[in-house]
Amino acid sequence: EAQVTQNPRYLITVTGKKLTVTCSQNMNHEYMSWYRQDPGLGLRQIYYSMNVEVTDKGDVPEGYKVSRKEKRNFPLILESPSPNQTSLYFCASSTDGSVNEQFFGPGTRLTVL
Amino acid sequence: AQSVAQPEDQVNVAEGNPLTVKCTYSVSGNPYLFWYVQYPNRGLQFLLKYITGDNLVKGSYGFEAEFNKSQTSFHLKKPSALVSDSALYFCAVSNSGGYQKVTFGTGTKLQVIP
């Protein structure tokens, strides 16, 4: 089954404790992206990647890191999480981020205390 | 910088009536426009897109959208609403510039009343 998977689905952590949210897709897509969803703010793009070793900032990259060492995986790293990063995070993939639809993962709900 | 505006936080419509969810955009170059739907506790699902060609595009579940270049709008429509259409709807824009950056709107909650 074609899908985007994220782990963990739920995470509660404390300020400053480094964490990684994994994202994997099995559709051989070149494009992958991370978003955060907050009430009243909609979806905001954090980082995106057009291919292996090619990443670029979205609208809200501060406090986040990403890497794209292999095509199927696109982990999101929070080196020193803060409470304002409490949010619902979505990973997505596509053959082309501009012209083709994105396939979204189920989401990761992160709480930073 | 590109942007999307969804001016209504919530739209209420009676079952069987036509529905419209509004979206306007701002982007350099040619716009690529998308609508997605999100059901509770789920990820987003693609509904339809406009890339080029006919201004009226048809998508999943009987939805359609009309691209209006002069008004920079891409409103989502359905002739007859179903209770099961109740969900959160997002409009998104990218462009032909090659950067593949995608900007979403703030979302509109559609409530279809039985």
Side-chain angles (χ1 to χ4, degrees), chain B residues 51-99:
Chain B
I51 303 299
T52 187
D54 195 349
N55 289 344
L56 183 65
V57 293
K58 295 186 183 298
S60 307
Y61 312 121
F63 284 93
E64 57 190 29
E66 186 165 12
F67 170 64
N68 187 317
K69 188 173 183 178
S70 63
Q71 297 186 6
T72 61
S73 67
F74 190 57
H75 301 330
L76 181 70
K77 301 183 181 188
K78 188 174 183 183
S80 179
L82 301 172
V83 172
S84 57
D85 293 330
S86 299
L88 187 57
Y89 291 81
F90 289 96
C91 182
V93 67
S94 63
N95 71 6
S96 56
Y99 292 102

mmCIF file of all heavy atoms in Angstrom, chain B residues 51-99:
data_model
loop_
_atom_site.group_PDB
_atom_site.id
_atom_site.type_symbol
_atom_site.label_atom_id
_atom_site.label_comp_id
_atom_site.label_asym_id
_atom_site.label_seq_id
_atom_site.Cartn_x
_atom_site.Cartn_y
_atom_site.Cartn_z
ATOM 1 N N ILE B 51 -3.653 23.429 -12.869
ATOM 2 C CA ILE B 51 -2.292 23.703 -13.335
ATOM 3 C C ILE B 51 -2.350 24.591 -14.573
ATOM 4 O O ILE B 51 -1.697 25.631 -14.652
ATOM 5 C CB ILE B 51 -1.528 22.404 -13.641
ATOM 6 C CG1 ILE B 51 -1.507 21.500 -12.391
ATOM 7 C CG2 ILE B 51 -0.105 22.702 -14.119
ATOM 8 C CD1 ILE B 51 -0.833 22.112 -11.194
ATOM 9 N N THR B 52 -3.149 24.187 -15.545
ATOM 10 C CA THR B 52 -3.326 24.958 -16.766
ATOM 11 C C THR B 52 -4.572 24.442 -17.459
ATOM 12 O O THR B 52 -5.121 23.413 -17.070
ATOM 13 C CB THR B 52 -2.090 24.828 -17.680
ATOM 14 O OG1 THR B 52 -2.222 25.723 -18.787
ATOM 15 C CG2 THR B 52 -1.952 23.407 -18.215
ATOM 16 N N GLY B 53 -5.051 25.165 -18.467
ATOM 17 C CA GLY B 53 -6.168 24.667 -19.249
ATOM 18 C C GLY B 53 -7.504 25.193 -18.783
ATOM 19 O O GLY B 53 -7.628 26.350 -18.368
ATOM 20 N N ASP B 54 -8.511 24.347 -18.821
ATOM 21 C CA ASP B 54 -9.874 24.718 -18.493
ATOM 22 C C ASP B 54 -9.959 25.319 -17.092
ATOM 23 O O ASP B 54 -9.427 24.752 -16.130
ATOM 24 C CB ASP B 54 -10.766 23.480 -18.590
ATOM 25 C CG ASP B 54 -12.248 23.834 -18.611
ATOM 26 O OD1 ASP B 54 -12.589 24.995 -18.346
ATOM 27 O OD2 ASP B 54 -13.057 22.932 -18.901
ATOM 28 N N ASN B 55 -10.660 26.448 -16.986
ATOM 29 C CA ASN B 55 -10.748 27.129 -15.696
ATOM 30 C C ASN B 55 -11.592 26.381 -14.676
ATOM 31 O O ASN B 55 -11.482 26.619 -13.472
ATOM 32 C CB ASN B 55 -11.308 28.539 -15.881
ATOM 33 C CG ASN B 55 -10.311 29.450 -16.567
ATOM 34 O OD1 ASN B 55 -9.125 29.149 -16.644
ATOM 35 N ND2 ASN B 55 -10.797 30.568 -17.062
ATOM 36 N N LEU B 56 -12.467 25.501 -15.126
ATOM 37 C CA LEU B 56 -13.296 24.709 -14.223
ATOM 38 C C LEU B 56 -12.669 23.323 -14.116
ATOM 39 O O LEU B 56 -12.582 22.596 -15.109
ATOM 40 C CB LEU B 56 -14.731 24.626 -14.738
ATOM 41 C CG LEU B 56 -15.711 23.890 -13.836
ATOM 42 C CD1 LEU B 56 -15.894 24.651 -12.522
ATOM 43 C CD2 LEU B 56 -17.047 23.706 -14.542
ATOM 44 N N VAL B 57 -12.254 22.982 -12.916
ATOM 45 C CA VAL B 57 -11.641 21.673 -12.718
ATOM 46 C C VAL B 57 -12.537 20.833 -11.809
ATOM 47 O O VAL B 57 -13.145 21.345 -10.876
ATOM 48 C CB VAL B 57 -10.233 21.784 -12.104
ATOM 49 C CG1 VAL B 57 -9.285 22.434 -13.082
ATOM 50 C CG2 VAL B 57 -10.237 22.554 -10.807
ATOM 51 N N LYS B 58 -12.608 19.563 -12.114
ATOM 52 C CA LYS B 58 -13.433 18.641 -11.344
ATOM 53 C C LYS B 58 -12.525 17.719 -10.550
ATOM 54 O O LYS B 58 -11.439 17.332 -11.020
ATOM 55 C CB LYS B 58 -14.343 17.851 -12.267
ATOM 56 C CG LYS B 58 -15.371 18.724 -12.978
ATOM 57 C CD LYS B 58 -16.358 17.911 -13.775
ATOM 58 C CE LYS B 58 -17.321 18.804 -14.540
ATOM 59 N NZ LYS B 58 -18.145 19.639 -13.647
ATOM 60 N N GLY B 59 -13.012 17.360 -9.367
ATOM 61 C CA GLY B 59 -12.186 16.527 -8.512
ATOM 62 C C GLY B 59 -12.968 15.407 -7.862
ATOM 63 O O GLY B 59 -14.011 14.992 -8.345
ATOM 64 N N SER B 60 -12.442 14.979 -6.728
ATOM 65 C CA SER B 60 -13.027 13.843 -6.017
ATOM 66 C C SER B 60 -14.325 14.246 -5.326
ATOM 67 O O SER B 60 -14.535 15.409 -5.002
ATOM 68 C CB SER B 60 -12.042 13.326 -4.969
ATOM 69 O OG SER B 60 -10.783 13.054 -5.525
ATOM 70 N N TYR B 61 -15.175 13.229 -5.089
ATOM 71 C CA TYR B 61 -16.393 13.359 -4.279
ATOM 72 C C TYR B 61 -17.364 14.413 -4.812
ATOM 73 O O TYR B 61 -18.132 14.981 -4.046
ATOM 74 C CB TYR B 61 -16.047 13.678 -2.825
ATOM 75 C CG TYR B 61 -14.966 12.791 -2.249
ATOM 76 C CD1 TYR B 61 -13.789 13.342 -1.761
ATOM 77 C CD2 TYR B 61 -15.112 11.413 -2.197
ATOM 78 C CE1 TYR B 61 -12.784 12.541 -1.240
ATOM 79 C CE2 TYR B 61 -14.115 10.605 -1.685
ATOM 80 C CZ TYR B 61 -12.948 11.174 -1.206
ATOM 81 O OH TYR B 61 -11.950 10.377 -0.699
ATOM 82 N N GLY B 62 -17.326 14.709 -6.117
ATOM 83 C CA GLY B 62 -18.264 15.649 -6.707
ATOM 84 C C GLY B 62 -17.885 17.107 -6.568
ATOM 85 O O GLY B 62 -18.652 17.997 -6.941
ATOM 86 N N PHE B 63 -16.703 17.376 -6.022
ATOM 87 C CA PHE B 63 -16.247 18.756 -5.885
ATOM 88 C C PHE B 63 -15.684 19.286 -7.196
ATOM 89 O O PHE B 63 -15.148 18.536 -8.012
ATOM 90 C CB PHE B 63 -15.182 18.867 -4.793
ATOM 91 C CG PHE B 63 -15.735 18.809 -3.403
ATOM 92 C CD1 PHE B 63 -15.809 17.608 -2.718
ATOM 93 C CD2 PHE B 63 -16.186 19.963 -2.776
ATOM 94 C CE1 PHE B 63 -16.325 17.550 -1.435
ATOM 95 C CE2 PHE B 63 -16.692 19.913 -1.488
ATOM 96 C CZ PHE B 63 -16.768 18.704 -0.825
ATOM 97 N N GLU B 64 -15.784 20.595 -7.352
ATOM 98 C CA GLU B 64 -15.172 21.277 -8.484
ATOM 99 C C GLU B 64 -14.681 22.644 -8.016
ATOM 100 O O GLU B 64 -15.065 23.118 -6.938
ATOM 101 C CB GLU B 64 -16.163 21.434 -9.640
ATOM 102 C CG GLU B 64 -17.431 22.164 -9.287
ATOM 103 C CD GLU B 64 -18.467 22.079 -10.396
ATOM 104 O OE1 GLU B 64 -18.482 21.090 -11.154
ATOM 105 O OE2 GLU B 64 -19.265 23.023 -10.493
ATOM 106 N N ALA B 65 -13.821 23.241 -8.808
ATOM 107 C CA ALA B 65 -13.313 24.567 -8.449
ATOM 108 C C ALA B 65 -13.122 25.363 -9.723
ATOM 109 O O ALA B 65 -12.795 24.821 -10.779
ATOM 110 C CB ALA B 65 -12.006 24.458 -7.681
ATOM 111 N N GLU B 66 -13.311 26.678 -9.580
ATOM 112 C CA GLU B 66 -13.184 27.557 -10.723
ATOM 113 C C GLU B 66 -12.016 28.506 -10.539
ATOM 114 O O GLU B 66 -11.956 29.260 -9.561
ATOM 115 C CB GLU B 66 -14.458 28.362 -10.936
ATOM 116 C CG GLU B 66 -14.432 29.197 -12.212
ATOM 117 C CD GLU B 66 -15.797 29.708 -12.608
ATOM 118 O OE1 GLU B 66 -16.725 29.619 -11.779
ATOM 119 O OE2 GLU B 66 -15.929 30.179 -13.746
ATOM 120 N N PHE B 67 -11.100 28.462 -11.467
ATOM 121 C CA PHE B 67 -9.945 29.355 -11.465
ATOM 122 C C PHE B 67 -10.338 30.653 -12.154
ATOM 123 O O PHE B 67 -10.837 30.641 -13.281
ATOM 124 C CB PHE B 67 -8.778 28.702 -12.200
ATOM 125 C CG PHE B 67 -7.612 29.625 -12.455
ATOM 126 C CD1 PHE B 67 -6.896 30.150 -11.392
ATOM 127 C CD2 PHE B 67 -7.227 29.954 -13.746
ATOM 128 C CE1 PHE B 67 -5.816 30.992 -11.612
ATOM 129 C CE2 PHE B 67 -6.147 30.790 -13.982
ATOM 130 C CZ PHE B 67 -5.445 31.308 -12.909
ATOM 131 N N ASN B 68 -10.125 31.772 -11.450
ATOM 132 C CA ASN B 68 -10.420 33.076 -12.022
ATOM 133 C C ASN B 68 -9.167 33.928 -11.909
ATOM 134 O O ASN B 68 -8.826 34.415 -10.823
ATOM 135 C CB ASN B 68 -11.592 33.724 -11.282
ATOM 136 C CG ASN B 68 -12.050 35.005 -11.947
ATOM 137 O OD1 ASN B 68 -11.239 35.824 -12.363
ATOM 138 N ND2 ASN B 68 -13.349 35.177 -12.058
ATOM 139 N N LYS B 69 -8.495 34.105 -13.030
ATOM 140 C CA LYS B 69 -7.202 34.787 -13.003
ATOM 141 C C LYS B 69 -7.339 36.261 -12.655
ATOM 142 O O LYS B 69 -6.535 36.808 -11.887
ATOM 143 C CB LYS B 69 -6.505 34.648 -14.362
ATOM 144 C CG LYS B 69 -5.075 35.149 -14.372
ATOM 145 C CD LYS B 69 -4.382 34.827 -15.674
ATOM 146 C CE LYS B 69 -2.923 35.265 -15.638
ATOM 147 N NZ LYS B 69 -2.202 34.916 -16.871
ATOM 148 N N SER B 70 -8.376 36.919 -13.172
ATOM 149 C CA SER B 70 -8.525 38.354 -12.927
ATOM 150 C C SER B 70 -8.847 38.648 -11.464
ATOM 151 O O SER B 70 -8.439 39.686 -10.939
ATOM 152 C CB SER B 70 -9.617 38.924 -13.833
ATOM 153 O OG SER B 70 -10.865 38.328 -13.532
ATOM 154 N N GLN B 71 -9.565 37.743 -10.824
ATOM 155 C CA GLN B 71 -9.894 37.922 -9.410
ATOM 156 C C GLN B 71 -8.939 37.162 -8.498
ATOM 157 O O GLN B 71 -9.116 37.191 -7.280
ATOM 158 C CB GLN B 71 -11.337 37.479 -9.146
ATOM 159 C CG GLN B 71 -12.362 38.308 -9.900
ATOM 160 C CD GLN B 71 -13.792 37.962 -9.528
ATOM 161 O OE1 GLN B 71 -14.041 37.164 -8.624
ATOM 162 N NE2 GLN B 71 -14.740 38.553 -10.231
ATOM 163 N N THR B 72 -7.951 36.526 -9.053
ATOM 164 C CA THR B 72 -6.986 35.675 -8.315
ATOM 165 C C THR B 72 -7.714 34.803 -7.300
ATOM 166 O O THR B 72 -7.368 34.766 -6.106
ATOM 167 C CB THR B 72 -5.887 36.516 -7.626
ATOM 168 O OG1 THR B 72 -6.482 37.414 -6.682
ATOM 169 C CG2 THR B 72 -5.086 37.287 -8.638
ATOM 170 N N SER B 73 -8.722 34.091 -7.785
ATOM 171 C CA SER B 73 -9.517 33.244 -6.891
ATOM 172 C C SER B 73 -9.573 31.815 -7.411
ATOM 173 O O SER B 73 -9.383 31.547 -8.599
ATOM 174 C CB SER B 73 -10.928 33.798 -6.731
ATOM 175 O OG SER B 73 -11.633 33.711 -7.949
ATOM 176 N N PHE B 74 -9.864 30.929 -6.490
ATOM 177 C CA PHE B 74 -9.973 29.499 -6.807
ATOM 178 C C PHE B 74 -10.974 28.908 -5.817
ATOM 179 O O PHE B 74 -10.630 28.152 -4.926
ATOM 180 C CB PHE B 74 -8.603 28.830 -6.713
ATOM 181 C CG PHE B 74 -8.553 27.419 -7.238
ATOM 182 C CD1 PHE B 74 -8.935 27.124 -8.537
ATOM 183 C CD2 PHE B 74 -8.074 26.383 -6.441
ATOM 184 C CE1 PHE B 74 -8.863 25.831 -9.019
ATOM 185 C CE2 PHE B 74 -8.003 25.087 -6.914
ATOM 186 C CZ PHE B 74 -8.397 24.810 -8.205
ATOM 187 N N HIS B 75 -12.237 29.235 -5.980
ATOM 188 C CA HIS B 75 -13.274 28.822 -5.040
ATOM 189 C C HIS B 75 -13.675 27.374 -5.274
ATOM 190 O O HIS B 75 -13.857 26.940 -6.412
ATOM 191 C CB HIS B 75 -14.503 29.723 -5.169
ATOM 192 C CG HIS B 75 -14.237 31.177 -4.919
ATOM 193 N ND1 HIS B 75 -13.239 31.611 -4.055
ATOM 194 C CD2 HIS B 75 -14.834 32.295 -5.410
ATOM 195 C CE1 HIS B 75 -13.221 32.921 -4.029
ATOM 196 N NE2 HIS B 75 -14.172 33.371 -4.841
ATOM 197 N N LEU B 76 -13.879 26.669 -4.190
ATOM 198 C CA LEU B 76 -14.304 25.269 -4.211
ATOM 199 C C LEU B 76 -15.834 25.229 -4.172
ATOM 200 O O LEU B 76 -16.450 25.943 -3.379
ATOM 201 C CB LEU B 76 -13.727 24.536 -3.005
ATOM 202 C CG LEU B 76 -14.040 23.051 -2.876
ATOM 203 C CD1 LEU B 76 -13.315 22.254 -3.959
ATOM 204 C CD2 LEU B 76 -13.650 22.539 -1.489
ATOM 205 N N LYS B 77 -16.408 24.353 -4.995
ATOM 206 C CA LYS B 77 -17.870 24.300 -5.079
ATOM 207 C C LYS B 77 -18.352 22.855 -5.159
ATOM 208 O O LYS B 77 -17.613 21.955 -5.574
ATOM 209 C CB LYS B 77 -18.357 25.064 -6.315
ATOM 210 C CG LYS B 77 -17.952 26.519 -6.317
ATOM 211 C CD LYS B 77 -18.509 27.259 -7.519
ATOM 212 C CE LYS B 77 -18.060 28.716 -7.484
ATOM 213 N NZ LYS B 77 -18.703 29.531 -8.509
ATOM 214 N N LYS B 78 -19.609 22.695 -4.762
ATOM 215 C CA LYS B 78 -20.282 21.413 -4.927
ATOM 216 C C LYS B 78 -21.767 21.701 -5.089
ATOM 217 O O LYS B 78 -22.325 22.479 -4.309
ATOM 218 C CB LYS B 78 -20.023 20.499 -3.739
ATOM 219 C CG LYS B 78 -20.554 19.084 -3.947
ATOM 220 C CD LYS B 78 -20.142 18.166 -2.804
ATOM 221 C CE LYS B 78 -20.626 16.755 -3.091
ATOM 222 N NZ LYS B 78 -20.318 15.818 -1.989
ATOM 223 N N PRO B 79 -22.425 21.107 -6.051
ATOM 224 C CA PRO B 79 -23.826 21.446 -6.319
ATOM 225 C C PRO B 79 -24.780 21.049 -5.202
ATOM 226 O O PRO B 79 -25.780 21.725 -4.967
ATOM 227 C CB PRO B 79 -24.136 20.655 -7.603
ATOM 228 C CG PRO B 79 -22.819 20.342 -8.203
ATOM 229 C CD PRO B 79 -21.860 20.204 -7.069
ATOM 230 N N SER B 80 -24.487 19.961 -4.508
ATOM 231 C CA SER B 80 -25.395 19.473 -3.484
ATOM 232 C C SER B 80 -24.589 18.898 -2.322
ATOM 233 O O SER B 80 -23.942 17.856 -2.459
ATOM 234 C CB SER B 80 -26.317 18.397 -4.079
ATOM 235 O OG SER B 80 -27.190 17.882 -3.097
ATOM 236 N N ALA B 81 -24.622 19.565 -1.188
ATOM 237 C CA ALA B 81 -23.784 19.179 -0.053
ATOM 238 C C ALA B 81 -24.333 17.945 0.664
ATOM 239 O O ALA B 81 -25.554 17.753 0.789
ATOM 240 C CB ALA B 81 -23.692 20.347 0.933
ATOM 241 N N LEU B 82 -23.403 17.132 1.151
ATOM 242 C CA LEU B 82 -23.731 15.969 1.971
ATOM 243 C C LEU B 82 -23.221 16.183 3.392
ATOM 244 O O LEU B 82 -22.203 16.859 3.583
ATOM 245 C CB LEU B 82 -23.074 14.708 1.395
ATOM 246 C CG LEU B 82 -23.445 14.311 -0.033
ATOM 247 C CD1 LEU B 82 -22.561 13.164 -0.493
ATOM 248 C CD2 LEU B 82 -24.916 13.945 -0.115
ATOM 249 N N VAL B 83 -23.884 15.571 4.360
ATOM 250 C CA VAL B 83 -23.411 15.661 5.747
ATOM 251 C C VAL B 83 -21.972 15.155 5.848
ATOM 252 O O VAL B 83 -21.150 15.705 6.588
ATOM 253 C CB VAL B 83 -24.337 14.883 6.690
ATOM 254 C CG1 VAL B 83 -23.748 14.819 8.092
ATOM 255 C CG2 VAL B 83 -25.726 15.524 6.723
ATOM 256 N N SER B 84 -21.650 14.152 5.055
ATOM 257 C CA SER B 84 -20.303 13.569 5.085
ATOM 258 C C SER B 84 -19.236 14.508 4.505
ATOM 259 O O SER B 84 -18.037 14.221 4.613
ATOM 260 C CB SER B 84 -20.277 12.245 4.317
ATOM 261 O OG SER B 84 -20.723 12.431 2.988
ATOM 262 N N ASP B 85 -19.651 15.623 3.893
ATOM 263 C CA ASP B 85 -18.688 16.620 3.408
ATOM 264 C C ASP B 85 -18.157 17.488 4.539
ATOM 265 O O ASP B 85 -17.210 18.255 4.340
ATOM 266 C CB ASP B 85 -19.328 17.527 2.354
ATOM 267 C CG ASP B 85 -19.667 16.791 1.071
ATOM 268 O OD1 ASP B 85 -18.963 15.816 0.742
ATOM 269 O OD2 ASP B 85 -20.642 17.199 0.404
ATOM 270 N N SER B 86 -18.759 17.403 5.705
ATOM 271 C CA SER B 86 -18.314 18.201 6.844
ATOM 272 C C SER B 86 -16.874 17.857 7.186
ATOM 273 O O SER B 86 -16.539 16.706 7.479
ATOM 274 C CB SER B 86 -19.204 17.943 8.055
ATOM 275 O OG SER B 86 -20.544 18.308 7.781
ATOM 276 N N ALA B 87 -16.008 18.853 7.105
ATOM 277 C CA ALA B 87 -14.568 18.638 7.301
ATOM 278 C C ALA B 87 -13.876 19.998 7.230
ATOM 279 O O ALA B 87 -14.529 21.034 7.081
ATOM 280 C CB ALA B 87 -14.004 17.706 6.234
ATOM 281 N N LEU B 88 -12.545 19.951 7.320
ATOM 282 C CA LEU B 88 -11.724 21.158 7.205
ATOM 283 C C LEU B 88 -11.105 21.170 5.812
ATOM 284 O O LEU B 88 -10.519 20.172 5.384
ATOM 285 C CB LEU B 88 -10.648 21.120 8.286
ATOM 286 C CG LEU B 88 -9.758 22.345 8.497
ATOM 287 C CD1 LEU B 88 -10.583 23.589 8.798
ATOM 288 C CD2 LEU B 88 -8.781 22.079 9.649
ATOM 289 N N TYR B 89 -11.243 22.284 5.106
ATOM 290 C CA TYR B 89 -10.782 22.385 3.732
ATOM 291 C C TYR B 89 -9.664 23.409 3.625
ATOM 292 O O TYR B 89 -9.765 24.523 4.149
ATOM 293 C CB TYR B 89 -11.936 22.776 2.807
ATOM 294 C CG TYR B 89 -12.941 21.662 2.672
ATOM 295 C CD1 TYR B 89 -13.905 21.446 3.642
ATOM 296 C CD2 TYR B 89 -12.899 20.799 1.582
ATOM 297 C CE1 TYR B 89 -14.800 20.397 3.544
ATOM 298 C CE2 TYR B 89 -13.800 19.747 1.459
ATOM 299 C CZ TYR B 89 -14.745 19.555 2.444
ATOM 300 O OH TYR B 89 -15.631 18.506 2.338
ATOM 301 N N PHE B 90 -8.604 23.015 2.920
ATOM 302 C CA PHE B 90 -7.448 23.874 2.741
ATOM 303 C C PHE B 90 -7.197 24.136 1.263
ATOM 304 O O PHE B 90 -7.184 23.208 0.450
ATOM 305 C CB PHE B 90 -6.185 23.223 3.317
ATOM 306 C CG PHE B 90 -6.142 23.167 4.807
ATOM 307 C CD1 PHE B 90 -6.541 22.023 5.490
ATOM 308 C CD2 PHE B 90 -5.693 24.254 5.544
ATOM 309 C CE1 PHE B 90 -6.493 21.962 6.869
ATOM 310 C CE2 PHE B 90 -5.643 24.207 6.927
ATOM 311 C CZ PHE B 90 -6.047 23.059 7.587
ATOM 312 N N CYS B 91 -6.932 25.398 0.966
ATOM 313 C CA CYS B 91 -6.487 25.808 -0.350
ATOM 314 C C CYS B 91 -4.969 25.976 -0.296
ATOM 315 O O CYS B 91 -4.422 26.376 0.750
ATOM 316 C CB CYS B 91 -7.159 27.130 -0.719
ATOM 317 S SG CYS B 91 -6.782 27.788 -2.337
ATOM 318 N N ALA B 92 -4.275 25.673 -1.389
ATOM 319 C CA ALA B 92 -2.811 25.796 -1.404
ATOM 320 C C ALA B 92 -2.356 26.301 -2.761
ATOM 321 O O ALA B 92 -3.006 26.064 -3.786
ATOM 322 C CB ALA B 92 -2.149 24.457 -1.090
ATOM 323 N N VAL B 93 -1.207 26.987 -2.763
ATOM 324 C CA VAL B 93 -0.657 27.526 -4.001
ATOM 325 C C VAL B 93 0.833 27.243 -4.099
ATOM 326 O O VAL B 93 1.550 27.220 -3.097
ATOM 327 C CB VAL B 93 -0.910 29.054 -4.086
ATOM 328 C CG1 VAL B 93 -0.122 29.808 -3.020
ATOM 329 C CG2 VAL B 93 -0.594 29.592 -5.474
ATOM 330 N N SER B 94 1.279 26.961 -5.288
ATOM 331 C CA SER B 94 2.701 26.960 -5.608
ATOM 332 C C SER B 94 2.822 27.686 -6.952
ATOM 333 O O SER B 94 1.828 28.211 -7.461
ATOM 334 C CB SER B 94 3.270 25.545 -5.678
ATOM 335 O OG SER B 94 2.649 24.817 -6.712
ATOM 336 N N ASN B 95 4.022 27.719 -7.513
ATOM 337 C CA ASN B 95 4.128 28.424 -8.790
ATOM 338 C C ASN B 95 5.101 27.732 -9.720
ATOM 339 O O ASN B 95 5.699 26.707 -9.372
ATOM 340 C CB ASN B 95 4.489 29.893 -8.570
ATOM 341 C CG ASN B 95 5.934 30.061 -8.102
ATOM 342 O OD1 ASN B 95 6.699 29.114 -8.045
ATOM 343 N ND2 ASN B 95 6.288 31.288 -7.774
ATOM 344 N N SER B 96 5.234 28.316 -10.871
ATOM 345 C CA SER B 96 6.022 27.711 -11.937
ATOM 346 C C SER B 96 7.498 28.066 -11.837
ATOM 347 O O SER B 96 8.255 27.784 -12.746
ATOM 348 C CB SER B 96 5.474 28.155 -13.296
ATOM 349 O OG SER B 96 5.447 29.566 -13.377
ATOM 350 N N GLY B 97 7.889 28.691 -10.720
ATOM 351 C CA GLY B 97 9.264 29.163 -10.626
ATOM 352 C C GLY B 97 10.304 28.105 -10.368
ATOM 353 O O GLY B 97 11.488 28.391 -10.409
ATOM 354 N N GLY B 98 9.865 26.885 -10.077
ATOM 355 C CA GLY B 98 10.811 25.794 -9.914
ATOM 356 C C GLY B 98 11.265 25.545 -8.494
ATOM 357 O O GLY B 98 12.015 24.621 -8.234
ATOM 358 N N TYR B 99 10.824 26.374 -7.535
ATOM 359 C CA TYR B 99 11.298 26.204 -6.166
ATOM 360 C C TYR B 99 10.478 25.201 -5.373
ATOM 361 O O TYR B 99 10.898 24.775 -4.326
ATOM 362 C CB TYR B 99 11.308 27.554 -5.452
ATOM 363 C CG TYR B 99 12.341 28.487 -6.021
ATOM 364 C CD1 TYR B 99 11.975 29.512 -6.877
ATOM 365 C CD2 TYR B 99 13.689 28.334 -5.715
ATOM 366 C CE1 TYR B 99 12.927 30.358 -7.408
ATOM 367 C CE2 TYR B 99 14.642 29.185 -6.244
ATOM 368 C CZ TYR B 99 14.248 30.189 -7.097
ATOM 369 O OH TYR B 99 15.186 31.035 -7.632
#
